[in-house]
Amino acid sequence: MDPKVLETMLPYFLEKFGNAASRSHVYGWTAEEAVDIAREQVAELIGAHATEIVFTSGATEAINLAIKGAFEHYSEKGNHIITCVTEHRAVLDSCAWVEQNGGNVTYLPVAQNGLIDLEKLERAITKDTILISILYANNETGVLQPVADVSNIAKKHDILFFTDATQAAGKIPVNVNDDGIDMLAMSAHKLYGPKGTGALYVRKKNPKVTVSSQIHGGGHEKNMRSGTLNVPGIVGFGKACELSMQHMDAESRFLKQLRDQLEAEILLISGTHVNGCVEKRLPHISNISFQNVNGDQLLLELGTDVAISRGSACSSVTSKPSHVLSAMDIPDALALSSFRISLGRFTAPADIEFSANFFKEIVAKHRTAMHISTVNI
Ligand code: PLP
């Protein structure tokens, strides 16, 4: 988390402890005012209006609300949803719930570069299609889907377009109007805010979108998500969005430069390969396959200096190949020795040099242990 975010949050744990839904005293008003400011900050990051932001406990909840909520609300219009095989589990599992509850879901394949095929998307549309859910940027490869094109297709057929922008928001410009997005999920901890806070953007005009609540209770968040608001978390989320807006340009250029440098160094190791469309990627993520390396063993030897993962945080401990890489036709053995390497606001050039050497050494050690040639390293 950005220390400036923490600083902004701290008063809301103690001296400004009010409940934002308490309308009868000044403590409640103070908290409500802080939430209102945060709502503006979050909305501004994605070009939305504050009244279109529904605060949630994170992107997983926002995704559940978007998919299940749209499925329930628009059930009279149809019961078909289109998504893609490389989505985050939160989307795939919400879609599985839809199928268990009488809906139909089409899972679009991706090409080897991780991109969907827009013609296949259009062909998958039926008279029952109510929602297209395509992620903005993949969390394992950073690959950016053509969201504006997806949105045009959705509009042409009068279908709602939802995007999981958890990885993209705050890192690259995301604008719900330019991109024609009807619903968008995001999460504070991906942009240097606290964990356990997120939001669903729900378009209010052209068209007005509604979702059925998935958490019932006191009717908070315009009846779309009940439950006392996490005021410190939301305040931190707002601040994190404000900082992202201020830093985005310079930060993304800086991170891309460092990421490309690190990638170039790692690619000097023989049998390495970058996964996903390199031209259409987030600036701070790289997914690299290391041939002839035991991925389990390498992860065990990471120590405390370098932190990388195989797949997303929820599945990185399993020894199953990533569903994202498998969908991109990467064989299981190679997927298991492929890692997501990501950089962030606090990565320094010295970290790149350190990490490049780290990878060269650890891969050489592994291959020697496996009696595999390490020429070129
Ligand atoms: N979607 C994507 C693309 C993600 O990367 C993540 C988190 O890793 C999520 C959804 C889930 O977000 P949260 O942990 O806030 O529920």
Side-chain angles (χ1 to χ4, degrees):
M1 203 163 74
D2 192 308
K4 292 195 194 90
V5 169
L6 177 65
E7 222 173 273
T8 316
M9 290 169 70
L10 282 177
Y12 293 90
F13 285 102
L14 293 173
E15 64 262 39
K16 296 179 181 178
F17 183 69
N19 181 334
S22 296
R23 298 267 154 72
S24 58
H25 50 71
V26 68
Y27 301 100
W29 303 333
T30 307
E32 190 187 16
E33 223 174 85
V35 168
D36 286 347
I37 293 171
R39 212 183 283 283
E40 297 273 355
Q41 291 165 319
V42 173
E44 200 185 336
L45 178 70
I46 54 168
H49 193 269
T51 53
E52 298 175 308
I53 300 298
V54 177
F55 284 118
T56 63
S57 64
T60 298
E61 190 193 326
I63 291 165
N64 273 260
L65 177 57
I67 295 176
K68 297 178 185 178
F71 175 67
E72 288 183 349
H73 186 81
Y74 296 98
S75 61
E76 283 183 4
K77 194 171 174 229
N79 68 347
H80 178 231
I81 292 176
I82 302 174
T83 187
C84 141
V85 285
T86 53
E87 297 280 322
H88 189 271
R89 283 248 66 91
V91 169
L92 296 176
D93 288 358
S94 294
C95 285
W97 180 94
V98 163
E99 290 176 298
Q100 283 153 19
N101 285 273
N104 294 313
V105 181
T106 300
Y107 298 89
L108 297 173
V110 293
Q112 275 185 336
N113 63 5
L115 290 169
I116 57 162
D117 177 337
L118 293 166
E119 280 176 21
K120 283 190 181 140
L121 166 67
E122 195 150 17
R123 278 203 301 273
I125 292 171
T126 73
K127 64 176 186 8
D128 291 322
T129 310
I130 49 168
L131 184 72
I132 296 175
S133 169
I134 297 293
L135 87 173
Y136 208 110
N138 187 273
N139 47 309
E140 296 185 30
T141 58
V143 167
L144 295 162
Q145 295 294 351
V147 283
D149 297 331
V150 172
S151 152
N152 284 336
I153 293 173
K155 298 254 157 331
K156 195 166 114 191
H157 295 269
D158 195 21
I159 297 166
L160 295 180
F161 172 42
F162 161 63
T163 187
D164 170 5
T166 309
Q167 293 287 335
K171 305 291 170 55
I172 56 169
V174 171
N175 185 297
V176 290
N177 294 315
D178 296 350
D179 290 334
I181 294 163
D182 297 313
M183 290 191 283
L184 174 149
M186 55 192 288
S187 191
H189 73 278
K190 301 294 182 203
L191 38 98
Y192 313 99
K195 295 175 199 68
T197 303
L200 180 67
Y201 156 78
V202 183
R203 179 173 285 281
K204 229 179 130 187
K205 266 203 308 214
N206 303 321
K208 174 169 171 43
V209 180
T210 313
V211 286
S212 299
S213 169
Q214 299 301 304
I215 297 184
H216 309 283
H220 306 70
E221 297 299 273
K222 297 205 186 65
N223 252 331
M224 280 190 261
R225 197 273 188 183
S226 288
T228 299
L229 292 180
N230 170 5
V231 177
I234 289 169
V235 166
F237 187 13
K239 182 69 183 177
C241 289
E242 183 193 280
L243 293 172
S244 286
M245 274 181 283
Q246 282 167 12
H247 296 307
M248 192 182 298
D249 251 15
E251 198 165 274
S252 62
R253 258 182 283 123
F254 174 68
L255 288 176
K256 183 179 182 309
Q257 194 190 340
L258 291 189
R259 191 268 317 268
D260 290 351
Q261 238 173 0
L262 178 61
E263 237 171 32
E265 285 291 328
I266 292 177
L267 291 177
L268 293 176
I269 305 171
S270 63
T272 51
H273 175 77
V274 176
N275 297 312
C277 179
V278 287
E279 296 86 21
K280 290 178 184 154
R281 266 192 309 167
L282 288 173
H284 64 293
I285 294 181
S286 179
N287 189 301
I288 302 187
S289 294
F290 296 83
Q291 276 171 25
N292 301 318
V293 159
N294 179 331
D296 288 329
Q297 195 58 37
L298 192 143
L299 284 179
L300 284 175
E301 289 175 20
L302 276 184
T304 54
D305 293 324
V306 173
I308 54 170
S309 66
R310 206 166 43 179
S312 65
C314 357
S315 54
S316 55
V317 284
T318 67
S319 289
K320 276 201 210 134
S322 138
H323 71 283
V324 173
L325 299 186
S326 297
M328 290 160 62
D329 253 357
I330 294 173
D332 288 359
L334 196 55
L336 286 169
S337 59
S338 301
F339 299 97
R340 177 217 207 247
I341 302 167
S342 59
L343 288 67
R345 183 171 293 167
F346 307 107
T347 306
D351 297 327
I352 299 303
E353 203 185 318
F354 180 90
S355 308
N357 290 333
F358 169 85
F359 282 110
K360 286 175 188 166
E361 279 164 27
I362 200 164
V363 172
K365 191 174 128 196
H366 264 268
R367 289 192 180 151
T368 311
M370 292 168 80
H371 306 295
I372 287 165
S373 158
T374 54
V375 279
N376 297 344
I377 293 180

